[in-house]
Amino acid sequence: MAPEITRRSVLAAGMAAPVLLSARPSLALPADLEGRAMALDPPVFLLESAVPPHFGGAGLAIGDQVAVCGSRSLRWEHAARGVITVRAPLRWAADPYRPGDDQAWQGLVDAFCVWVHNATPVDDVLRFEFGRGDRTDLWFEFRLGFSGWRTAWLRYAYDMRGRPHPDMDTLRIIAPRRAGVLHLDQLMLNVPLRPDAPNADYQIPDNAPEGDEYDNQHWQALYTFDRLLKTKFPEMSPPTPAEADSLAALKARYLADYLVTPVTADVPGLTAQTAALLGRPTHAYQSQIYPPEIAAELKAFVNPVTLRAVTDLMRAISLAHEASPADRPALAALYLKLVDHLRQQGWTEGSGQGTIHHLGYDTRGYYDSAYLMRDALRAAGRLEDVRADLDWLTGLGRLFRGFGFRMARGSVMDLYNTTVRGMLAAILLRDTPAEQVAYLRVLRDWLGDTLLPTDGIQDGIKADGTAFHHVGFFPDYVRDGLAGLAPIVHVLQGGAFAVPGESFGWLKRALLAQRIYAGRTQWPISISGRNPNGTTALSIVPFQWLAEHDDEIGAAFLRLLPASPTAQQKAIAQRLAARGVTAEPSPTGAWAYNYAALAVHRRDDWQVTVRGHNRYLWSTEIYVGANWYGRYNTYGQLQVVHKGTNLDSGYAQNGYDWNRRPGTTTIRKPLDLLKGDLTGAIEEMLLTDARFCGAHSIDGRHAMFAMDLREHPKYDGSHRARKSVFLFDDRIVAVGTAIANTDAAHETETTLFQTTRTGSVVVDGQELPFPYEGPERAPRWIVDDKGLGYYLPGGQRVGISRSVQASRNNATEEPTSGAFSTGWIRHGTAPREGRYEYAMVVNATGERMAAFAAAMDVAERAPYRVERADKVAHVVWDRATGITGYALFERAELDGLVRAADTACLIMTRMDGDALVLSVTDPDLRLYGGIDHDQYEKGRYAGHYSPWSRPWLDDPSHPHLLRVTLEGRWRAAGEQPCRVRVTGRRTVVEFETVDGRPTQVRLTPH
């Protein structure tokens, strides 16, 4: 019996990006690899040394004329309608996948894969039939209107005609009507495949039609985009004089600012590199079909070069061609060889390559080189071919599709990062200025539309300036998307093809938001997505490209300049200075980003962030090989970055206890139990059933955060907590109540700190040694390794550890270790009504914390006061600012100035003389009302589905009328975003809330 092919082993073996191996001839066949491949059940045919005994038919031989797997392939000199019969059990089995179902829970499906080489295009088909003996159960036709290699990947149950049967044991391959020669290679009767991998193309146009609606339709739908490009046309009115001038200026910027980089032409070196790549197959994700039992050996045997390596070399050749006129004939010849190679390998118009996943990442060099090589291509009679290839590879026809379909905004950040540049290149390769102008108009309008805020959780920029990828807040992709888009916006700006002003305004808002929710440059760990290494950060690149188009972006660029700027950065800085633009100060204030459930609080050069999740926003993203232990990332993580970088401020991946993220309330699990479980899934993006989680601010200077924490039932649906954080200048107050779960085997904890060991930890004036274990303390105050102070009211059990911790790498699962100082509040096992309270002080000293604790003992001097902390409400007053913050987890009746609220909400108040400043946020995005019935079973939340499949994915935030009742009689003078109604001795203030946006008003006595 063949080894079991599991979902994880397939993904781990197949989805890793191909590696560019060292240049050498095709490797010798590893010992018995072909025999072991054939011995798999079902067999895999490498067709390298002999015609397999499973094959019957006339004209079959192993030939060395062409190959895509090794150095030989099956040569078939076929008669008209000749037949190859392959006899072997196909082992097809039914699976739970349903086209269009939840994208995260697709699992794997059974698929047939083969390479076909055709020397001469013909208007005919190669027919594949699958069945039981002479009986045909399934079939498909593979069109032969091509020359070179093409690939067919088809899912038995979804892409073929007929109905699959578990007992299928025969494949028949039926030749076209005319006699001739075809080559077949690497024929795989049945391999487990991600169902979103295959795509339609010219050879199998009906393949995987649901790909047109996937989040990754930006590459899956190339065939649909191609049909649109061939049937829809831009309005072709003659260019106006302004458009003609703009086109000329655009081309000059495109060449001088974007494409051309001064290089020294190294013709011998480029010739050697080209020779090393030619003759080897060029792959992107084509190896994902390799069975895990032989995957490593098969990759080494096939010895592919990556598509990216080829296109990067094409760009290098084009730059040398531009720089050295004397070498242009030789360099043009090299470039044309690579073009021919790609086209023969199937990277050409109409070819889907089995899968064309992540195409844009691998073809950027082709896009950026084609325009530079346009004259050489034209002279060789190849410009039209290359333009058609770019039209296909960029999906240029997407410009005519519109946005009126599900997932229409899917992966827009990927498009910005990788493909928009290619679309511009394809347009500028049009034959006439009139055509170029016509398509540029469409590109301008399409780009403008993509930059407007998107509804729901679909990708794109949100109303608060955050931006989404993978239907959630994911700054790494936003950074890359804006870095790819910004140079194209720069090229388009300043004329008739500039993106519309409103759209540029939203691009600017999203870009400037990055430098708020980043520290100086690095993301806080809670927003690092599936990359919790602590080093991912914003990029100065988009600021650099757009600095000269907007003074505010320019000021941010000047602040973000590295210590050793490049010559280009220095030149931009000089031009900005000449215009009077100076570097902005470090952002200071407070921001509520409720499309991210994120509070950001900044002073001077330090930052505090608090992050959660709710029923609209996934808690974390776990992939095979990424973020395995990320479950608790958004359980109220409270991170202070005050020493420069994440690492300087105490975070390090090696040795990190993934259970103990600062500010989180978690059940401390062994890593094997904490690890994400991807059984039956390709990723994990869990949604809770809690509506209430988000951030709030007042005066743009002080903030708060609150979260109704409910763990997903996949792990422990009994784990609950109500958490809040109040941020006043350099003081932070954290409160937790209603902490409960039924886990009697593992301790529930709220983590105070976990910092890399660099200095001392002081507890009530006592410096703790290293190593140290104090599992049961009751400290009044602590100063941790990094100078953060903690005040803890009595009655709380605190654990403190200073030790070398053992952990695992988040991606590889390899053991790691590191020296840490860690502190946590203990809630015991299976807590029922656990609670905590603590305060933090940024840049504290022992003396300041001792004074803080002493002041807390005297009501008249206490820096803060918790006025209420129960299941319904957390109310905290801060002495220095006079601000009171209210976290109302439910409709609430209260004592004091705020008497009631009819909606779970966040409120902050302060007095300004006789006037009352009142700020309110309803953090519930209200993308849908009631409950999401798909997620419930027998009235209990089951959470079966990820955000990908939710019917409310593209629904807007629905406005809500929130009423706050105040003690006393108040009025709102002038135009203010509220309605005020006095009732007796009290006042009802009504707010229309939407998008989780804070609303602030000023009320005066009536």
Side-chain angles (χ1 to χ4, degrees), residues 906-930:
L906 305 172
I907 302 173
M908 300 181 88
T909 65
R910 67 173 176 84
M911 298 304 299
D912 183 10
D914 291 338
L916 170 65
V917 178
L918 170 66
S919 184
V920 175
T921 294
D922 174 7
D924 185 350
L925 295 175
R926 300 184 184 277
L927 303 183
Y928 65 94

Side-chain angles (χ1 to χ4, degrees), residues 500-838:
E502 181 184 6
S503 302
F504 184 87
W506 282 103
L507 169 60
K508 170 184 172 180
R509 182 169 181 177
L511 181 59
L512 293 180
Q514 289 194 312
R515 97 307 188 192
I516 299 296
Y517 53 71
R520 175 169 171 79
T521 58
Q522 291 178 344
W523 314 130
I525 305 306
S526 67
I527 69 172
S528 295
R530 61 176 183 265
N531 304 311
N533 55 38
T535 60
T536 57
L538 62 74
S539 168
I540 197 173
V541 168
F543 294 87
Q544 182 172 325
W545 282 106
L546 301 179
E548 295 180 87
H549 299 287
D550 183 272
D551 287 354
E552 195 174 354
I553 296 175
F557 162 76
L558 293 173
R559 181 177 67 84
L560 294 170
L561 276 173
S564 300
T566 65
Q568 183 181 19
Q569 289 168 344
K570 289 178 181 177
I572 294 170
Q574 290 170 358
R575 291 196 292 270
L576 289 172
R579 212 166 69 216
V581 179
T582 59
E584 67 174 4
S586 295
T588 292
W591 293 263
Y593 292 113
N594 279 326
Y595 276 91
L598 173 70
V600 180
H601 183 76
R602 299 181 65 125
R603 295 291 187 274
D604 301 323
D605 288 319
W606 55 261
Q607 176 203 62
V608 184
T609 54
V610 196
R611 178 99 194 276
H613 63 274
N614 54 38
R615 71 177 189 168
Y616 316 108
L617 307 174
W618 42 259
S619 56
T620 196
E621 185 177 40
I622 296 174
Y623 265 31
V624 172
N627 198 32
W628 275 121
Y629 309 103
R631 185 189 310 177
Y632 295 145
N633 195 43
T634 58
Y635 279 43
Q637 183 166 186
L638 192 171
Q639 183 181 357
V640 182
V641 179
H642 60 310
K643 300 292 185 181
T645 67
N646 289 326
L647 192 63
D648 297 334
S649 299
Y651 178 81
Q653 183 176 192
N654 287 343
Y656 196 75
D657 186 339
W658 302 108
N659 290 280
R660 288 176 168 167
R661 300 164 187 263
T664 62
T665 300
T666 64
I667 306 173
R668 189 167 187 246
K669 303 273 192 178
L671 290 180
D672 285 341
L673 296 181
L674 182 64
K675 181 182 175 182
D677 178 8
L678 295 185
T679 302
I682 62 172
E683 61 190 341
E684 180 177 284
M685 305 162 71
L686 301 180
L687 296 172
T688 182
D689 62 334
R691 303 164 68 109
F692 187 79
C693 177
H696 181 41
S697 66
I698 189 170
D699 300 329
R701 284 195 57 81
H702 308 279
M704 62 179 290
F705 169 92
M707 179 181 193
D708 181 9
L709 172 62
R710 304 180 194 176
E711 186 161 302
H712 193 280
K714 177 178 179 180
Y715 294 114
D716 192 336
S718 72
H719 182 51
R720 305 294 177 94
R722 291 191 163 175
K723 299 169 62 66
S724 63
V725 179
F726 302 83
L727 303 124
F728 309 112
D729 290 323
D730 63 354
R731 302 169 307 284
I732 304 162
V733 180
V735 179
T737 58
I739 300 168
N741 60 64
T742 58
D743 189 333
H746 305 101
E747 184 105 354
T748 300
E749 303 172 345
T750 296
T751 300
L752 297 169
F753 58 88
Q754 182 180 186
T755 67
T756 50
R757 179 203 172 205
T758 54
S760 61
V761 171
V762 179
V763 179
D764 294 335
Q766 173 193 3
E767 186 173 321
L768 300 184
F770 186 95
Y772 173 83
E773 293 292 337
E776 188 74 40
R777 295 189 63 124
R780 292 289 309 284
W781 60 268
I782 304 170
V783 178
D784 72 13
D785 268 9
K786 300 301 180 291
L788 294 177
Y790 302 82
Y791 164 76
L792 294 116
Q796 301 184 93
R797 298 185 302 153
V798 175
I800 299 177
S801 170
R802 306 196 74 211
S803 65
V804 175
Q805 298 180 170
S807 186
R808 295 183 197 158
N809 183 278
N810 88 90
T812 67
E813 304 178 68
E814 293 298 315
T816 65
S817 64
F820 284 82
S821 300
T822 306
W824 65 95
I825 299 171
R826 300 181 58 191
H827 304 299
T829 56
R832 297 184 63 184
E833 287 292 337
R835 59 191 302 118
Y836 64 83
E837 175 194 328
Y838 63 94

Side-chain angles (χ1 to χ4, degrees), residues 231-242:
T231 56
K232 305 281 187 181
F233 303 98
E235 193 273 320
M236 291 295 295
S237 60
T240 66

Side-chain angles (χ1 to χ4, degrees), residues 40 89 111 131 160 172 178 230 270 310 320 351 358 482-483 492 516 525 555 573 706 711 770 800 816-817 848 882 885:
L40 294 174
M160 302 184 189
R172 279 180 295 278
R178 59 107 173 103
K230 289 177 168 58
L270 294 171
V310 176
S351 174
H358 295 83
L482 299 189
L492 296 173
I516 299 296
I525 305 306
E711 186 161 302
F770 186 95
I800 299 177
T816 65
S817 64
R848 184 176 179 190

Side-chain angles (χ1 to χ4, degrees), residues 16 20 73 93 136 152 257 308 344 386 434 536 548 606 608 662 734 767 769 796 870 900 920 929:
L20 174 57
S73 61
T136 298
D257 295 355
R308 182 167 184 173
Q344 282 295 305
V386 168
T536 57
E548 295 180 87
W606 55 261
V608 184
E767 186 173 321
Q796 301 184 93
D870 54 31
V920 175

Side-chain angles (χ1 to χ4, degrees), residues 31-48:
D32 198 30
L33 175 61
E34 191 167 21
R36 284 182 285 121
M38 273 195 293
L40 294 174
D41 187 13
V44 167
F45 301 110
L46 303 185
L47 304 173
E48 183 68 14

Side-chain angles (χ1 to χ4, degrees), residues 249-264:
L250 182 156
K251 288 180 178 179
R253 282 194 301 275
Y254 184 54
L255 280 170
D257 295 355
Y258 176 66
L259 286 182
V260 176
T261 300
V263 298
T264 300

